[in-house]
Structures are given as C-alpha cells and as structure tokens.
C-alpha cells in the first residue's frame, strides 16, 4: 500500500502545481510580497542602530510565514470550487494520499518562494554567501515542512467555514510560533558564524515538530472531510 | 451488482434517507424520480461512498463499498457540480482522473471518453472557458473515463443541448449493453422512462413506488406521479 | 429560572427517536454549585484583603498573586477538559462530549484573560514593566490565541457535526502544541538570559499566606466547575431549541 500512497500523493501534487503554474497569481503575489517585505523592513530600521545580520533572520521568517499563508489559502479552494474534492473521494485513493499530495504541492510553493527570497535577502542585506547559505536552505526546508503540515490541514478546514480568510491565519499562526522561533534562532547562529552544533537544540525542536505534526495532521485529515 | 439494504442517513434529527433498499443488476437502469428535498441526491452520495450511512451498507458485487478500494474503483459519479478543475483543460482533467484510477494509458482513455461525449474538439481549452453545456459533457466524460461498472447520475441531462443529450443517451445504452448498472436521478419522466429498466419514486427519504419498467404504462405513470408528489417533500 | 415553554406538542409528532427529547427543559431554580463557588470566592477575597499579612517586599500588590495563579490553574483545568473531550468526541461521537468541550473552552478563555490582565497589573509595580516574556506568561498568551481560535472556529460553522469534528481536531492539535511552545520559550530564555526579575511566584509561603492561597485554589476550582456546568446546561437548552425548530420544518 505504501508505494501507492506516495504515487497518488505525487500525482495530486503535480496536478496542484500544474493548476498553480497555469494561473500563477498566488505564487507571484506571494513572491512579490516577500521581496517587498524584505525591502520595507530594511528601511523601517535605522541601519546604524540595527545591523543587517541582526535584522535578517527575523524578517526572513516573518515573511515566509505570511507569504506561505497566501499559498496555503488557495490550496483547498481549488477543490471546493466545483466540488472537485468529491471526485478525489469517490476514487479508490486513500485520504492520507490526498493530504500528503496537497501538502507536497504547498511545500513546493513555499520552497519556491524561499529559493528566490533567500538569495535576494543575501543581496539586499549584504550577508555572507557560501556554505552558510546552503545550510540556511536546509533549515528553511525543514521549517517549511512544519509550516506546510499544519497549514494544509487548517486550509482544508477553513475552506468549509464562513470566515475562511480570517480563520486560516488565526488558527495557523500560533502553531507556527515554535517553527519560526527555531528557524530564526538557528539562522541567527548561522549568520554570526557560530558552529552548527550550537544551533542543534533548535534543530532538534524543528525535527520533532515536523515528525509530530506531519503525523498528527495526516491522521486528522480524514476527520475534516464530509462524512 | 449494486446492493444496498436498509440505508438510513440522518443529519441531526432529520432523516434524509429513511430505510431504502436498492438492488441494481448488470445491464439494469434504475431511474429515480421525486420532488426536491426527497433525499435523492443524498441517496446517490450514499451509493457513491461519499457519505457514511447512519444505518445499512452499500455493496458492489458483495464487497462493502466503504471498506474496499477495488469496489470504489468500479463506481462513477455525475453530480450537480462538475467536479472539474477550471484552470486545467478537458484533456488534462481526464488524464488526471484516469491516472487516479490507475489506468494504463491515460491519454488514450481520456481521448476516447471525450470523443464519446462529442467534446474532443475542445479538449485543449481550459474548462472554465467552456459553456455550461460543454462543461457538463466533460464532466460526464470524466465519470466514465475509467469504464465504471456502476454509474450514478444526478440529473445528468441538465444543461445539455439536443446533441449532448443524444450523446449521453447513446453512451448510457452502450454502458448498459456492456453490463454496467446505472442509477439515474431525473425530473424528466419521459427521458427517464425511455432508458429505465426499473423506476422508483422517492418521497421524504423513502421509496413510495418501486417497480419494473415493463409493468408500467408511461402515460398513466406520469399522471399518477404528479398526484403522488402533489405535496412538498 | 423557569422552564422554557415547549411548542405545541402536536408539532413534535414527526420528530422521531433521533431527536433529543428533554421532556422538561427546566433549570433548577437554585444553582447550588455556583452559589457555593461565589461564596467561596468572596470568603477568599475577604481573607486575602483583610486577614492576610502584607508581603514584606511587595506590599499590597502581591495580593494579586492570589487571583493570578489560581486563575491559571482554573484555565489549565478547563483546557485539559477541552483536550480530553475532543479525544472522546472523535472516538465516541457523543455530542455531550462536544458540548462539554465547548463549555470548558469558553470558561478557559475567561480564566486566561484574567491571568493575562492580572499578570501586568502585578508586574508593573513589582517588576517595573508591564510585560515580561517569561515562560508562563508567554505560554498563557499563546494558549489564549489558540483558545480564541477555537471559539472563533466554532462560531464560523453552522452544521453541528462538522463543528464538533473540527473543534475536536483543533483541541487535540492545540494540546500537542503546548509542549513545543514551552520548549521553545524555555530554550529561548536559556540562551538569551533576561534581566533577573524578582520571581515571587514560588516562594515558600508562610502558613497564613499558604492558607489564603489554598482557599483561592479551592474557590477557583469550584468556580471553574460551576461555570462549566452552567454553560453546559445552557448548551443543552440551546441545542434542544435548535432541534425543535428544525423538527418543526
């Protein structure tokens, strides 16, 4: 059964990415938001008072959180429009596969933003490039998994409620806090040149969070569907 | 082929389906009539496995529908919404569905289904650009792409023009001849009786009439039906 | 507190055994638990204000502590009820579990608000600052957000079954979140030592103060239970009314 779940999940993820690529609106607006945010935050602070390295990690993670939400929002909207979700549910595919497929597509979305925004930040904020940047991508991916696991589940729930645009951020943001904290802190360690071992406690929290919530949200997903 | 006994579905204290038995064999077509709110759509969703019955169970060839993915693979559904992804083309929608059902050659089965519903010439247009009638044809093609042995149709003729309706009727006859079991919900008694092997009238969650088509006289049935469903569900 | 007048009995003819049928929807005239709790709170207050000695360094402001900590305990109790009832609901699908979770959630929000308002009120005279990102206050803040989200989620869904399921999912996920927030905040503070503030929340209390503290704990627990129960009863009546109205259609 296992390989079948992953194949189906990949199929659904590809479908979602094809739809997103066709319209591009969500990705482009999230990207523009991220880049604008990087710029605005830089100007909001007095550069002589706050160094770029102090500012960067916090800014980066605030931006990823909010632009991620833009992408998460449309995740189940596309299934809700013409009850396409019914088509998925009638088919002989497991509910877990549907969730994982959606989450995978969202992960690609967030990772796509990160791949562009992190180098942009390095340029805007004049940060050291090279090895730290690669490790930063790894941390970003780890954090993205956690964000996407929770965000996909809440997106599935929010789409069936009256206040969808309000509820998704309202429910998700408290859950994002440990992820954002751990990611920002380890990013800071990295940028000021501390050895990776010092950021390890934060990375442990990130990994534990990813495992716990990816499992919990996959298990909870069937309960969010009509019965 | 398709068997359901004692189906009940309650929403809170309201029973939308209140004790229904359905038995449709290979090559049969059960047509379901009834006023709005009688529970026909709920019944269809129960038969498709989308809703969990409060009591009773649906079986396909003896296998429980909600437990068995092979059983679910035999079912096709046409509902009020198109279940299509507007941003994708008809071809892409069908290929996706074909892959979902594990079809070996998704593009050719997709093409075949689109041709059956006479909509292949618009295969590469994004679905949301198509007219409602054409979307309905694509939606029907989507439901049959995996050659279901059980097809559930909820007012499928809605939005179809004469040629679309003809294509649908032809497709249904072919499916029936191939041994599929059909359950068709419609408001159009004439259209329904033309293809039915069994006819039922549903009211307030129950079958108030259920008989073989051969036993019916179409004209009398039509007038009796209007008497039967005179009041609100 | 009188009984809600039932509609014309004949209208219930079509509603069958599946409808909740409280033959008499009656609240007791005297909610003894609630009265007891209020008396307990009043007694504890009087004791705190008049009969407990002032704390040496903090003076009168320290007395807020008697409200702050028990309110926190009440909140944690109520939230535990929410988490447990969420699990029970998903397992048994009993609407009573959902109703109890709903009641406990609202009561928890009230208690959390008390903690979050008494905290700064206590902090300003003692620490010189309205807010400090210490572990408990931060956790309480995020608990407040999650609980508020819980209430808003419930308000945004009309269908009872969906609402109960979604709330239960959020309840369980919220419970899973708490250790992570706690760990993160703890790690944050370990690596970023904040100015040492006088932390009088775990002093060894002299007997007089201990008794006052314990009487507040008892009174708050009673109040928590009384409020949850009263809110639950309201929920029973409200759901019965909704079912009646639906059956009349």
């Amino acid at each position: 059964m296992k390989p079948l779940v992953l194949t189906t999940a990949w199929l659904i993820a590809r479908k979602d990415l094809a739809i997103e690529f066709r319209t591009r609106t969500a990705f482009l607006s999230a990207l523009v938001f991220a880049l604008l945010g990087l710029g605005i935050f830089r100007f909001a602070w007095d550069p002589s008072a706050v160094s770029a390295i102090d500012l960067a990690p916090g800014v980066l993670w605030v931006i990823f959180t909010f632009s991620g939400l833009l992408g998460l929002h449309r995740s189940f909207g596309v299934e809700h429009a013409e009850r396409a979700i019914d088509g998925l549910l009638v088919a002989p595919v497991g509910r877990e596969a549907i969730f994982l497929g959606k989450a995978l597509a969202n992960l690609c979305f967030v990772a796509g933003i990160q791949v562009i925004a992190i180098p942009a930040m390095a340029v805007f904020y004049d940060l050291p490039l090279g090895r730290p940047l690669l490790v930063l991508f790894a941390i970003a991916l780890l954090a993205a998994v956690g964000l996407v696991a929770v965000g996909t589940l809440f997106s599935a729930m929010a789409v069936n409620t009256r206040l969808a645009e309000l509820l998704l951020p309202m429910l998700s943001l408290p859950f994002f806090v440990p992820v954002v904290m751990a990611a920002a802190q380890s990013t800071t360690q990295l940028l000021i040149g501390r050895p990776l071992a010092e950021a390890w406690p934060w990375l442990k929290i990130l990994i534990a969070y990813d495992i716990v919530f990816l499992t919990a949200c996959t298990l909870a997903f069937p309960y969010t569907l009509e019965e | 082929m398709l068997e359901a006994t004692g189906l009940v579905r309650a929403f809170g204290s309201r029973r939308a389906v209140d004790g229904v038995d359905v038995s449709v064999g290979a090559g049969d077509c059960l047509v379901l009539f009834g006023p709005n709110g009688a529970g026909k759509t709920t019944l269809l969703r129960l038969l498709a496995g989308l809703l969990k019955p409060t009591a009773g169970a649906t079986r396909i060839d003896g296998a429980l529908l909600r437990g068995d993915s092979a059983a679910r693979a035999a079912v096709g559904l046409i509902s009020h919404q198109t279940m299509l992804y507007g941003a994708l083309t008809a071809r892409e929608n069908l290929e996706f569905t074909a892959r979902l059902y594990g079809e070996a050659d998704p593009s050719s089965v997709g093409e075949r289904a689109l041709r059956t519903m006479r909509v292949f010439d618009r295969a590469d247009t994004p679905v949301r650009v198509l007219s409602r009638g054409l979307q309905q044809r694509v939606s029907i093609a989507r439901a049959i792409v995996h050659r279901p042995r059980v097809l559930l149709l909820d007012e499928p003729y809605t939005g179809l023009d004469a040629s679309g309706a003809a294509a649908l009727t032809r497709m249904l006859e072919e499916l029936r001849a191939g041994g599929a079991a059909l359950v068709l919900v419609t408001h159009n008694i004439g259209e329904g009786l033309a293809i039915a092997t069994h006819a039922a009238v549903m009211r307030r969650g129950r079958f108030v009439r259920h008989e073989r088509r051969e036993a019916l006289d179409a004209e009398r049935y039509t007038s009796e039906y209007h008497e039967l469903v005179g009041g609100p569900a | 507190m009188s009984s809600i007048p039932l509609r014309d009995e004949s209208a219930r003819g079509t509603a069958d055994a599946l409808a909740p049928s409280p033959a008499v929807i009656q609240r007791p005239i005297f909610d003894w638990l609630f009265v007891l709790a209020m008396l307990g709170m009043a007694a504890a207050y009087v004791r705190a204000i008049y009969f407990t000695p002032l704390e040496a360094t903090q003076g009168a402001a320290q007395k807020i502590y008697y409200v702050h900590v028990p309110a926190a305990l009440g909140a944690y109790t109520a939230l535990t009820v929410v988490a447990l009832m969420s699990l029970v609901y998903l397992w048994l699908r009993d609407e009573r579990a959902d109703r109890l979770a709903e009641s406990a959630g609202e009561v928890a929000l009230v208690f959390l608000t008390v903690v979050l308002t008494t905290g700064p009120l206590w902090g300003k005279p003692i620490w010189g600052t309205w807010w400090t990102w210490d572990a408990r206050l931060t956790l309480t803040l995020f608990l407040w957000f999650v609980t508020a989200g819980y209430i808003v989620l419930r308000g945004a869904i009309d269908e009872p079954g969906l609402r109960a399921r979604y709330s239960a999912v959020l309840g369980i996920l919220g419970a899973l979140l708490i250790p992570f927030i706690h760990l993160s905040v703890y790690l944050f503070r370990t690596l970023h030592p904040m100015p040492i503030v006088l932390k009088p929340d775990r002093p060894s209390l002299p007997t007089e103060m201990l008794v006052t503290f314990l009487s507040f704990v008892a009174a708050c627990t009673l109040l928590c239970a009384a409020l949850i129960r009263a809110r639950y009863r309201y929920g029973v009546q409200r759901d019965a009314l909704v079912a009646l109205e639906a059956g009349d259609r």
Side-chain angles (χ1 to χ4, degrees), chain C residues 43-93:
Chain C
Y45 269 120
V46 165
R47 191 196 156 82
I49 295 173
Y50 295 110
F51 295 106
T52 312
L54 289 176
E55 207 261 1
T57 37
Q58 296 179 56
Q62 183 265 348
K63 297 198 175 183
I64 297 178
Y65 159 80
Y66 295 125
V67 177
H68 179 86
V69 177
L73 290 174
Y76 297 155
T77 313
L79 286 175
T80 312
V81 172
V82 174
L84 283 175
M85 287 301 116
S86 296
L87 275 170
V88 168
Y89 178 80
L90 284 183
W91 176 31
L92 295 175
R93 301 299 167 105

Side-chain angles (χ1 to χ4, degrees), chain A residues 104-186:
Chain A
L104 193 55
N106 287 329
L107 185 62
C108 295
F109 185 99
V110 174
I113 307 267
Q114 289 174 340
V115 155
I116 299 175
I118 290 177
M121 179 189 80
V123 167
F124 287 170
Y125 289 55
D126 195 24
L127 297 173
L129 298 174
R131 202 207 104 223
L133 212 62
L134 288 169
V135 181
L136 186 49
F137 276 121
I139 296 175
L141 196 63
L142 214 52
V145 169
L147 293 182
V148 152
V150 171
T152 307
L153 182 72
F154 285 146
S155 165
M157 285 166 55
V159 84
N160 287 321
T161 67
R162 279 202 303 270
L163 308 165
E165 287 92 9
L166 169 67
L167 267 176
L168 180 60
M170 187 170 182
L171 294 180
S172 309
L173 286 172
F175 283 84
F176 289 172
V177 164
V179 174
V180 170
M181 226 194 266
Q185 290 301 310
S186 30

Side-chain angles (χ1 to χ4, degrees), chain A residues 29 46 123:
Chain A
S29 41
D46 178 1
V123 167

